[in-house]
Amino acid sequence: MNETDAPAPDSTPVTGTQPAATEQAPATTDTTAPAAADAVETTATTQPAEPLPAGDNKSEMQNDPLMIVIMFAASIYLAKLWFDDFKANKRGEPNPKAFPGATACSALCVIVAVVGALILLAAETFGEIALGISAQQSDITWLALLSITAAAFFEELIFRGYLVVTKKGTAALIGSIFIFSFLFAALHPFLWDLDMPEGVPGWQFWQGTLTFDWGVKGWFSTALVFANSLWFYTVRFYGLNKTRSLIPCVAAHLASNVGVFVIKLAQGHVVGLY
């Protein structure tokens, strides 16, 4: 409202007659309309931007509680079946249809596997700091401890157990290791992610929108996952692991995953229970 129009009703003496009242009516209309227009314009131009939701950089797929519980339960069941085959093999009664790698190995084999995994984790951590991308991490929850524990066995059983070509010579073995390590790295959501609509749980992945991130962080993290996969395959088939046991692979994978969780916790990227 213009300040020069405000005194107008007081500048005309009130006489109590009908004409005086009708003369003020247009003035009231003229001053009110611009004020309303000014109010609308002010509201439109000064309305603050809608804040981003808390935890906006969390991956819905990786942090969905239902998916985490289902994956953990499935891994526990498969681990129980694998351990049954392991015990049968220890008794000298191997199951002809046993899960791959259900055999014992030396403690030294496990120690070397874990140390190698931790060296790769240290290289990843200091590499992110050197590249200035250490803050570009997704947030996880405490419940994610279940999923990373489950992944240590589930992923090793699938990739290092089944997705590898054996008994076809060294060239076929090494070639399959590189091919499946590439697949292993590509399946980890660093170069891509699924953006889920608000209120839609992560397990309904078909409703999500696939997005890509070709930044330094995505490429660097994917490269380190590829390197980890090569190491996990190595400790399955190198000389120390004469029985081709999966135990060193699972131990190395678990050490790496727990190490990542500890680093995220120290850097403030663990953001709640679930």
Side-chain angles (χ1 to χ4, degrees), residues 141-200:
T141 64
W142 281 96
L143 189 62
L145 273 173
L146 293 182
S147 66
I148 65 177
T149 302
F153 175 78
F154 189 77
E155 293 179 358
E156 292 310 301
L157 179 63
I158 293 175
F159 280 88
R160 263 55 69 179
Y162 288 105
L163 296 184
V164 63
V165 177
T166 59
K167 301 179 181 179
K168 297 291 184 180
T170 303
L173 174 63
I174 295 176
S176 66
I177 287 174
F178 275 87
I179 291 172
F180 290 120
S181 290
F182 176 82
L183 176 63
F184 181 75
L187 288 175
H188 284 72
F190 293 114
L191 291 174
W192 60 273
D193 197 7
L194 278 178
D195 288 337
M196 303 299 296
E198 184 177 356
V200 177

Side-chain angles (χ1 to χ4, degrees), residues 8-9 12 17-34:
T12 304
T17 62
Q18 185 65 27
T22 57
E23 286 178 2
Q24 291 182 6
T28 303
T29 303
D30 291 342
T31 56
T32 304

